[in-house]
Amino acid sequence: MARLITRRKLLLGLAASTALAGCDSRAASMFLSGMGRWNERVDRLLFSENRLAPEPPASELTPEAAFPSYFISDSMPFAPDNWALKVGGVVARPAVFTLEQLKRMPQTGMRIRHHCVEGWSAVAEWNGVQLREIARMVGASRDAQYVEFKSFDNGYYSTWDIESSMHPQTILAYGMNGRPLYPDHGAPLRLYSPVKLGYKMVKYLTEVNFLPTRTGGYWEDQGYDWYGGV
């Protein structure tokens, strides 16, 4: 986390210095864009599909009242009565899964430290189904280099690289701390993984799309780092 925040501050500082030196806004934007691409290349080099994030001891669990929760809608989103997860894109067998069907799939659980770009962290236990299991079931194409996640939280979305998406600790979570998700943490289903920062963890999932080309994200479209790795 400290590595990413330091790099972000460095980029902002360099951009400010460029502007003070007399460069116009277009030059500063091009500079930041170039540094963003460099940042992503470094993060991709550091990433390992087989390296697991360590699990903190149960004694480090954050009290749920102290675990921040966010949504962008004017009020807390609640799933529609007919909620189901749609999975599509470049797949052999597009599918729609109910929560009950997801719960019947092989379950994965983990205790992980959550990192937010704002600087705080918290620990919780999550359980759900590995995204790689969903990819196997729908027959995701080798052409799928990205995965897009859509939400019923006022159109919130994000897109991930396929390597991070297929990490063994990347799950579609329907449980937190031994019970079903509450609405403030993304019920009925949310994306969770220790390999990304918090804003990449899309809550209130409605769609997962395996794609050959990259799309953006709610915060990414506003200038946040697209890769968002920890």
Side-chain angles (χ1 to χ4, degrees):
M1 180 64 181
R3 173 175 59 84
L4 289 172
I5 291 176
T6 300
R7 185 179 298 155
R8 185 179 301 281
K9 289 180 177 178
L10 172 64
L11 295 181
L12 292 174
L14 289 173
S17 299
T18 302
L20 289 173
C23 293
D24 60 23
S25 59
R26 181 183 177 191
S29 177
M30 292 175 63
F31 171 82
L32 286 175
S33 177
M35 290 302 290
R37 291 192 295 271
W38 174 83
N39 183 70
E40 181 177 336
R41 286 197 295 271
V42 171
D43 278 338
R44 283 179 178 268
L45 285 172
L46 293 173
F47 176 79
S48 171
E49 294 181 57
N50 299 313
R51 184 171 60 244
L52 300 181
E55 297 199 29
S59 60
E60 294 188 20
L61 280 171
T62 302
E64 289 193 26
F67 198 122
S69 61
Y70 296 94
F71 48 84
I72 63 168
S73 298
D74 293 335
S75 59
M76 188 181 298
F78 289 89
D81 292 338
N82 61 346
W83 180 91
L85 180 71
K86 180 181 178 181
V87 183
V90 286
V91 300
R93 298 173 293 277
V96 176
F97 297 106
T98 65
L99 186 60
E100 290 69 28
Q101 288 174 319
L102 292 168
K103 288 182 175 180
R104 288 197 294 268
M105 297 177 190
Q107 184 180 129
T108 294
M110 58 187 180
R111 185 184 306 116
I112 292 295
R113 187 174 302 278
H114 176 104
H115 294 284
C116 179
V117 73
E118 294 175 350
W120 59 265
S121 65
V123 177
E125 294 179 348
W126 305 92
N127 64 284
V129 58
Q130 289 177 315
L131 185 58
R132 65 201 301 179
E133 174 68 11
I134 300 293
R136 184 192 65 79
M137 293 184 70
V138 300
S141 168
R142 291 185 179 180
D143 293 333
Q145 296 302 305
Y146 303 94
V147 186
E148 181 185 66
F149 304 92
K150 293 186 175 182
S151 165
F152 60 80
D153 180 16
N154 199 27
Y156 194 97
Y157 80 111
S158 185
T159 312
W160 289 29
D161 56 290
I162 191 67
E163 295 84 7
S164 298
S165 302
M166 297 299 103
H167 188 275
Q169 290 175 301
T170 298
I171 67 173
L172 303 185
Y174 45 71
M176 178 182 180
N177 294 337
R179 54 154 181 76
L181 280 178
Y182 286 158
D184 57 337
H185 286 292
L189 190 72
R190 67 170 293 169
L191 175 65
Y192 198 79
S193 178
V195 304
K196 296 292 188 186
L197 291 169
Y199 66 89
K200 301 291 288 185
M201 313 293 184
V202 179
K203 301 178 181 179
Y204 313 107
L205 279 175
T206 56
E207 288 187 38
V208 174
N209 294 306
F210 293 86
L211 303 175
T213 56
R214 182 163 116 174
T215 59
Y218 178 84
W219 288 114
E220 296 89 327
D221 294 345
Q222 300 180 57
Y224 277 53
D225 182 35
W226 181 87
Y227 191 78
V230 173

